[in-house]
Amino acid sequence: MAKNYKTIQLDPKYIPKKTEKYMSEEQKAYFYALLAAQRNAVVASMNDGMSDLSSSINIDSMDGPNNEGDDASNTQQADIQMKILDRDKNLLVRIDNALKRLEEGTFGYSVISGEEIGLKRMLVQPLATMTIDEKEEHDKKDF
């Protein structure tokens, strides 16, 4: 029976090595576990943020008349929380896209050229979708 990266139990000390076949089932299992943990953390953060935002809105509406300073502070806190939630939502989309690429077998390969992104880069930036050279060229175009 072929190995499936979703069911492989890795040694907790396992770290992918350059000497292994690039994006072997073990390496995929490592990144799958890493991305799943990141996803769970982001979802938990979003749930906490939504709860905090909801609580502050409910508390504000129950407090009765507030002074302008309280209103400004509450609005600022809500704006900050909304920005954090938006950032988390964008991160969740990137993680889900990486998990989809893992499923499709394209994780670790450039979305532009199809070349290997490289293990070193993937270990540092598991959400990378381009090689270093492609990313630098892309960033130059943005400026």
Side-chain angles (χ1 to χ4, degrees):
M1 184 172 163
K3 292 181 186 178
N4 181 326
Y5 68 89
K6 291 183 180 180
T7 59
I8 293 175
Q9 296 295 315
L10 296 173
D11 181 321
K13 296 178 183 175
Y14 171 80
I15 296 177
K17 296 168 192 65
K18 203 173 185 174
T19 56
E20 299 170 331
K21 180 181 179 273
Y22 188 69
M23 288 302 141
S24 65
E25 292 303 305
E26 288 78 12
Q27 288 184 5
K28 288 180 190 176
Y30 174 86
F31 287 110
Y32 178 74
L34 181 75
L35 292 167
Q38 284 182 343
R39 187 181 196 290
N40 290 339
V42 170
V43 168
S45 174
M46 290 177 75
N47 288 338
D48 290 347
M50 289 297 290
S51 179
D52 291 348
L53 187 60
S54 178
S55 294
S56 70
I57 290 170
N58 289 336
I59 290 170
D60 290 346
S61 64
M62 297 171 74
D63 279 347
N66 293 331
N67 68 38
E68 289 180 23
D70 288 343
D71 289 343
S73 177
N74 292 339
T75 299
Q76 184 179 26
Q77 286 293 351
D79 286 346
I80 290 169
Q81 192 60 46
M82 291 299 290
K83 286 177 183 173
I84 292 169
L85 286 168
D86 190 48
R87 183 202 66 205
D88 284 350
K89 184 183 113 195
N90 291 334
L91 180 55
L92 187 60
V93 167
R94 292 181 63 211
I95 292 169
D96 285 343
N97 287 339
L99 288 167
K100 183 179 177 188
R101 287 192 309 276
L102 252 175
E103 186 73 27
E104 294 169 345
T106 59
F107 180 83
Y109 297 89
S110 169
V111 296
I112 294 173
S113 65
E115 291 180 35
E116 291 181 4
I117 292 173
L119 188 56
K120 185 176 178 181
R121 177 160 166 73
M122 294 307 296
L123 287 169
V124 173
Q125 182 52 261
L127 300 177
T129 59
M130 295 178 249
T131 66
I132 285 280
D133 292 340
E134 291 167 342
K135 179 66 174 154
E136 287 174 354
E137 187 64 30
H138 180 266
D139 290 348
K140 283 180 191 174
K141 290 178 183 175
D142 285 346
F143 284 107

mmCIF file of all heavy atoms in Angstrom, residues 41-51 81 84-85 88-89 92:
data_model
loop_
_atom_site.group_PDB
_atom_site.id
_atom_site.type_symbol
_atom_site.label_atom_id
_atom_site.label_comp_id
_atom_site.label_asym_id
_atom_site.label_seq_id
_atom_site.Cartn_x
_atom_site.Cartn_y
_atom_site.Cartn_z
ATOM 1 N N ALA A 41 -4.646 27.413 14.380
ATOM 2 C CA ALA A 41 -4.313 28.592 15.183
ATOM 3 C C ALA A 41 -5.001 29.838 14.633
ATOM 4 O O ALA A 41 -5.519 30.659 15.400
ATOM 5 C CB ALA A 41 -2.801 28.786 15.234
ATOM 6 N N VAL A 42 -5.027 29.986 13.320
ATOM 7 C CA VAL A 42 -5.669 31.156 12.713
ATOM 8 C C VAL A 42 -7.177 31.113 12.941
ATOM 9 O O VAL A 42 -7.793 32.127 13.287
ATOM 10 C CB VAL A 42 -5.340 31.259 11.199
ATOM 11 C CG1 VAL A 42 -6.179 32.318 10.522
ATOM 12 C CG2 VAL A 42 -3.858 31.557 11.009
ATOM 13 N N VAL A 43 -7.783 29.950 12.773
ATOM 14 C CA VAL A 43 -9.228 29.822 13.008
ATOM 15 C C VAL A 43 -9.557 30.147 14.466
ATOM 16 O O VAL A 43 -10.519 30.866 14.745
ATOM 17 C CB VAL A 43 -9.731 28.413 12.613
ATOM 18 C CG1 VAL A 43 -11.141 28.165 13.114
ATOM 19 C CG2 VAL A 43 -9.670 28.236 11.100
ATOM 20 N N ALA A 44 -8.763 29.654 15.402
ATOM 21 C CA ALA A 44 -8.979 29.951 16.818
ATOM 22 C C ALA A 44 -8.840 31.449 17.083
ATOM 23 O O ALA A 44 -9.652 32.040 17.806
ATOM 24 C CB ALA A 44 -7.999 29.166 17.688
ATOM 25 N N SER A 45 -7.835 32.067 16.465
ATOM 26 C CA SER A 45 -7.634 33.510 16.611
ATOM 27 C C SER A 45 -8.827 34.291 16.057
ATOM 28 O O SER A 45 -9.298 35.255 16.663
ATOM 29 C CB SER A 45 -6.345 33.936 15.907
ATOM 30 O OG SER A 45 -6.207 35.335 15.915
ATOM 31 N N MET A 46 -9.322 33.839 14.906
ATOM 32 C CA MET A 46 -10.484 34.513 14.308
ATOM 33 C C MET A 46 -11.720 34.350 15.189
ATOM 34 O O MET A 46 -12.482 35.305 15.378
ATOM 35 C CB MET A 46 -10.747 33.961 12.904
ATOM 36 C CG MET A 46 -9.701 34.368 11.892
ATOM 37 S SD MET A 46 -9.975 33.629 10.268
ATOM 38 C CE MET A 46 -11.359 34.629 9.693
ATOM 39 N N ASN A 47 -11.918 33.163 15.739
ATOM 40 C CA ASN A 47 -13.061 32.938 16.621
ATOM 41 C C ASN A 47 -12.974 33.821 17.857
ATOM 42 O O ASN A 47 -13.967 34.413 18.277
ATOM 43 C CB ASN A 47 -13.161 31.462 17.011
ATOM 44 C CG ASN A 47 -13.619 30.591 15.871
ATOM 45 O OD1 ASN A 47 -14.244 31.057 14.914
ATOM 46 N ND2 ASN A 47 -13.301 29.318 15.945
ATOM 47 N N ASP A 48 -11.777 33.909 18.441
ATOM 48 C CA ASP A 48 -11.575 34.781 19.595
ATOM 49 C C ASP A 48 -11.829 36.238 19.221
ATOM 50 O O ASP A 48 -12.470 36.976 19.971
ATOM 51 C CB ASP A 48 -10.154 34.640 20.149
ATOM 52 C CG ASP A 48 -9.911 33.296 20.826
ATOM 53 O OD1 ASP A 48 -10.887 32.569 21.091
ATOM 54 O OD2 ASP A 48 -8.719 32.977 21.068
ATOM 55 N N GLY A 49 -11.321 36.643 18.069
ATOM 56 C CA GLY A 49 -11.509 38.014 17.611
ATOM 57 C C GLY A 49 -12.970 38.346 17.375
ATOM 58 O O GLY A 49 -13.444 39.423 17.746
ATOM 59 N N MET A 50 -13.701 37.419 16.772
ATOM 60 C CA MET A 50 -15.133 37.643 16.534
ATOM 61 C C MET A 50 -15.879 37.723 17.859
ATOM 62 O O MET A 50 -16.761 38.560 18.036
ATOM 63 C CB MET A 50 -15.717 36.523 15.667
ATOM 64 C CG MET A 50 -15.255 36.554 14.227
ATOM 65 S SD MET A 50 -15.773 38.037 13.344
ATOM 66 C CE MET A 50 -17.521 37.734 13.220
ATOM 67 N N SER A 51 -15.499 36.875 18.789
ATOM 68 C CA SER A 51 -16.124 36.883 20.116
ATOM 69 C C SER A 51 -15.839 38.202 20.831
ATOM 70 O O SER A 51 -16.740 38.808 21.414
ATOM 71 C CB SER A 51 -15.600 35.704 20.929
ATOM 72 O OG SER A 51 -16.168 35.707 22.207
ATOM 73 N N GLN A 81 -9.622 45.528 15.624
ATOM 74 C CA GLN A 81 -10.052 44.129 15.622
ATOM 75 C C GLN A 81 -10.476 43.700 14.221
ATOM 76 O O GLN A 81 -10.170 42.593 13.786
ATOM 77 C CB GLN A 81 -11.206 43.920 16.620
ATOM 78 C CG GLN A 81 -11.498 42.471 16.884
ATOM 79 C CD GLN A 81 -10.311 41.720 17.471
ATOM 80 O OE1 GLN A 81 -9.653 42.185 18.392
ATOM 81 N NE2 GLN A 81 -10.026 40.556 16.937
ATOM 82 N N ILE A 84 -7.378 43.061 12.177
ATOM 83 C CA ILE A 84 -6.769 41.782 12.562
ATOM 84 C C ILE A 84 -7.557 40.631 11.953
ATOM 85 O O ILE A 84 -6.974 39.685 11.408
ATOM 86 C CB ILE A 84 -6.684 41.654 14.102
ATOM 87 C CG1 ILE A 84 -5.669 42.657 14.661
ATOM 88 C CG2 ILE A 84 -6.331 40.230 14.517
ATOM 89 C CD1 ILE A 84 -5.688 42.804 16.167
ATOM 90 N N LEU A 85 -8.874 40.705 12.015
ATOM 91 C CA LEU A 85 -9.712 39.656 11.429
ATOM 92 C C LEU A 85 -9.514 39.575 9.920
ATOM 93 O O LEU A 85 -9.458 38.475 9.354
ATOM 94 C CB LEU A 85 -11.185 39.895 11.768
ATOM 95 C CG LEU A 85 -11.583 39.579 13.207
ATOM 96 C CD1 LEU A 85 -12.982 40.124 13.501
ATOM 97 C CD2 LEU A 85 -11.513 38.093 13.474
ATOM 98 N N ASP A 88 -6.202 37.912 9.309
ATOM 99 C CA ASP A 88 -6.335 36.471 9.571
ATOM 100 C C ASP A 88 -7.101 35.779 8.444
ATOM 101 O O ASP A 88 -6.758 34.661 8.056
ATOM 102 C CB ASP A 88 -7.036 36.222 10.909
ATOM 103 C CG ASP A 88 -6.142 36.456 12.118
ATOM 104 O OD1 ASP A 88 -4.912 36.625 11.934
ATOM 105 O OD2 ASP A 88 -6.666 36.471 13.243
ATOM 106 N N LYS A 89 -8.131 36.434 7.922
ATOM 107 C CA LYS A 89 -8.907 35.851 6.820
ATOM 108 C C LYS A 89 -8.022 35.655 5.595
ATOM 109 O O LYS A 89 -8.055 34.603 4.949
ATOM 110 C CB LYS A 89 -10.096 36.746 6.475
ATOM 111 C CG LYS A 89 -11.011 36.181 5.420
ATOM 112 C CD LYS A 89 -12.117 37.153 5.086
ATOM 113 C CE LYS A 89 -11.855 37.587 3.686
ATOM 114 N NZ LYS A 89 -12.477 38.692 3.153
ATOM 115 N N LEU A 92 -5.712 32.776 6.228
ATOM 116 C CA LEU A 92 -6.441 31.516 6.123
ATOM 117 C C LEU A 92 -6.608 31.099 4.658
ATOM 118 O O LEU A 92 -6.434 29.928 4.320
ATOM 119 C CB LEU A 92 -7.805 31.638 6.809
ATOM 120 C CG LEU A 92 -8.618 30.370 6.944
ATOM 121 C CD1 LEU A 92 -7.881 29.321 7.762
ATOM 122 C CD2 LEU A 92 -9.972 30.688 7.583
#
